[in-house]
Amino acid sequence: LSRGLGDVYKRQELYRAIAALTETQQRRLTLYYFRGLAYKRIAEMEGCSVSAVGGSICAAMENIKKILK
């Protein structure tokens, strides 16, 4: 039971960290990690470069790491 509650807490903390990201970071992170889209596809959808998508996702992950410390 306590392990299950720990998992719920970790998930809630992750959602809190994602909510603290910019809208662009949230959207791109969601499209990449949760919807499984490639950087190229996200870039096409958003009308930006592949490197812009990669930079946003990298920045989002760094921000999440800082928040979860």
Side-chain angles (χ1 to χ4, degrees):
L1 178 65
S2 63
R3 180 174 179 202
L5 291 176
D7 291 344
V8 169
Y9 175 76
K10 288 177 187 176
R11 190 174 309 123
Q12 288 174 340
E13 287 298 303
L14 177 60
Y15 291 148
R16 182 181 63 81
I18 292 171
L21 301 174
T22 67
E23 286 185 36
T24 299
Q25 289 175 342
Q26 287 179 29
R27 185 176 57 254
R28 292 177 180 172
L29 189 77
T30 300
L31 290 170
Y32 181 70
Y33 282 106
F34 299 110
R35 305 242 352 247
L37 299 181
Y39 283 13
K40 183 177 179 181
R41 179 66 182 120
I42 297 168
E44 291 168 354
M45 291 170 61
E46 300 216 336
C48 65
S49 68
V50 172
S51 62
V53 172
S56 290
I57 292 172
C58 182
M61 293 303 293
E62 289 300 315
N63 288 335
I64 288 172
K65 287 177 189 175
K66 288 177 189 174
I67 292 167
L68 294 179
K69 271 190 168 181

